[in-house]
Amino acid sequence: MACGTYQLQKPEDRPSDPESKSGLDVDEPQVRLGRLYLYSFNEDSSACPLLEIQRRETSAILDMKWCHIPVAGHALLGVADAGGSIELLRLVGSENAYTLQPVSSFALEKQCLALSLDWSTRKTERASDQPLKIISSDSKGQLHLLKVNEAGPALQEVATWHAHHFEAWIAAFNYWQTEIVYSGGDDALLKGWDTRTPGTSVFTSKRHSMGVCSIQSSPHRENILATGSYDEHVLLWDTRSMKQPFADMPTQGGVWRLKWHPFHHHLLLAACMHSGFKIFNCQKAIEKQEACTVSVSHTLPSSLVYGADWSWLYFGNLSQTHQPCCLEAFPYSNLGAKASQLYNLKAVHQSPAACSPHLAEDEEECHSKLESGSGPKTPLHPLTEDMMKSGSWCRAAGHKGWDCDLSLEAASLDIDLLATCSFYDHVLHLWKWESS
């Protein structure tokens, strides 16, 4: 598992220049620092199932995703950073000797932040002649289509165009027709684009009332698209008719990330900022145009959940012997541990991650709860770790086990792992979700 972090360091937070008369340069720009963590998960290790095996100092990380097919025999991680670059890192090694090694970097634009990225391969069944592509968005409202030369691998620019008047928070592929991409911006617009004729939108939707910050095409069902916004709603769309969504789910918090389950077509994970995270059961909405239900809703006190992702590991039976454990928040150079029980949830393990504030907003504190949909309540156990200075937020990306031979029908999982990470409390949680 990989986790990326973001910390906004203001001039007054940095050591002053001893040669400066005032001791503080008021014109000195803010610095966005980041760190990339790599973890190994071992379900047989009851004391500490999540083990940090690498950390890299970087520019602040705003998004990161694994490529869902091997490239030249390796897993690739794509990272969008505050320096305005898309970086590719290759996972090499074996067992706990794995490391992420940078192999290529592409600068999108000067004086901008790379805000998001998506791979064209999320469906995993890629035609042999289909090129490997990345779509990215930046803080100037632009979209960038990149081609990955798999022999390198190296990044090559295909097209760049202006998409939104303010920040283009998110860009995503239609996984069933990868010439089509979607974008969402701080101008509250959701747009569709045909990359064969970039620069002219296929559609523009004003259905969201605030900035659109999360989009994901379903890898299981063609024509299904999920979008989320600061307006605290998740919308489900039929891409054949983008005039109105066919489902609308209130979230009580801005929706920063959306992730469809790797095997179950109806489960949608949402990172909902001050409303924590939620798992929506969208089966009735997709099949019968009925309302979605909430399988899990969990908020953490004094935190904003920005990152969320599913694990691709398959578990027949995950060990029940994990003991509650967490790591307390400390500055970068220190780390401590204490036993922890998170309300009615069992804390299995907690892990270190640095984080930083959203580009503009101050969010309210929240409360903790666990909700179930129409079925019985299902236990949810966190595996977490915590570190960092105040004022940071995190991105989590689960490692896809691309050598795992699983069909959608065979993967009727009773136990799932999912990761979330949050601002204010600076914690990466790895949760075990038991569902019937």
Side-chain angles (χ1 to χ4, degrees), residues 181-392:
V181 298
Y182 307 105
S183 65
D186 208 46
D187 52 10
L189 299 180
L190 168 66
K191 293 186 176 185
W193 310 87
D194 188 327
T195 58
R196 292 165 294 193
T197 56
T200 303
S201 59
V202 175
F203 72 84
T204 297
S205 172
K206 299 180 180 180
R207 179 58 174 75
H208 282 292
S209 61
M210 299 179 70
V212 178
C213 41
S214 54
I215 302 173
Q216 193 174 52
S217 167
S218 170
H220 311 301
R221 296 292 182 93
E222 191 173 3
N223 305 315
I224 301 298
L225 183 71
T227 64
S229 166
Y230 287 127
D231 66 10
E232 305 185 355
H233 285 262
V234 171
L235 304 180
L236 296 184
W237 305 80
D238 184 328
T239 57
R240 294 167 295 186
S241 177
M242 293 296 294
K243 292 182 179 180
Q244 288 294 329
F246 65 84
D248 184 340
M249 295 96 80
T251 59
Q252 295 80 48
V255 187
W256 189 254
R257 284 294 175 264
L258 289 168
K259 299 291 176 67
W260 291 101
H261 193 284
F263 309 121
H264 297 310
H265 76 274
H266 60 287
L267 294 179
L268 181 63
L269 173 63
C272 302
M273 301 187 189
H274 64 266
S275 188
F277 71 92
K278 301 180 191 297
I279 299 173
F280 291 101
N281 185 332
C282 304
Q283 186 158 357
K284 290 184 178 179
I286 293 172
E287 296 176 356
K288 301 178 181 179
Q289 306 287 290
E290 296 179 6
C292 295
T293 57
V294 180
S295 296
V296 171
S297 178
H298 180 63
T299 57
L300 296 170
S302 304
S303 71
L304 299 173
V305 176
Y306 276 99
D309 206 354
W310 299 98
S311 169
W312 283 65
L313 291 174
Y314 172 77
F315 292 100
N317 271 307
L318 191 64
S319 169
Q320 302 294 314
T321 60
H322 297 306
Q323 296 299 312
C325 165
C326 76
L327 299 181
E328 180 133 36
F330 285 91
Y332 270 96
S333 57
N334 300 312
L335 196 63
K338 68 175 183 177
S340 172
Q341 188 77 25
L342 295 182
Y343 305 95
N344 59 334
L345 308 180
K346 295 180 181 178
V348 183
H349 185 256
Q350 296 190 322
S351 252
C355 319
S356 176
H358 178 349
L359 298 182
E361 312 217 334
D362 217 354
E363 301 282 355
E364 63 190 66
E365 292 188 355
C366 49
H367 305 283
S368 177
K369 63 179 178 178
L370 175 64
E371 293 178 356
S372 179
S374 56
K377 288 191 176 182
T378 55
L380 183 69
H381 313 292
L383 258 145
T384 47
E385 190 173 306
D386 165 5
M387 181 179 170
M388 289 4 303
K389 288 189 173 181
S390 62
S392 322

Side-chain angles (χ1 to χ4, degrees), residues 64-127:
M64 55 193 292
K65 292 183 177 75
W66 295 97
C67 180
H68 287 86
I69 62 167
V71 177
H74 294 276
L76 276 186
L77 181 69
V79 175
D81 68 35
S85 294
I86 300 298
E87 184 176 24
L88 300 184
L89 299 104
R90 179 167 51 199
L91 188 68
V92 297
S94 60
E95 299 297 331
N96 287 339
Y98 275 113
T99 59
L100 285 168
Q101 296 182 356
V103 292
S104 182
S105 181
F106 184 87
L108 301 180
E109 187 87 8
K110 293 182 179 180
Q111 303 297 315
C112 82
L113 283 68
L115 296 179
S116 76
L117 65 86
D118 195 19
W119 295 87
S120 61
T121 57
R122 177 62 175 82
K123 239 174 103 256
T124 70
E125 299 96 7
R126 183 176 64 128

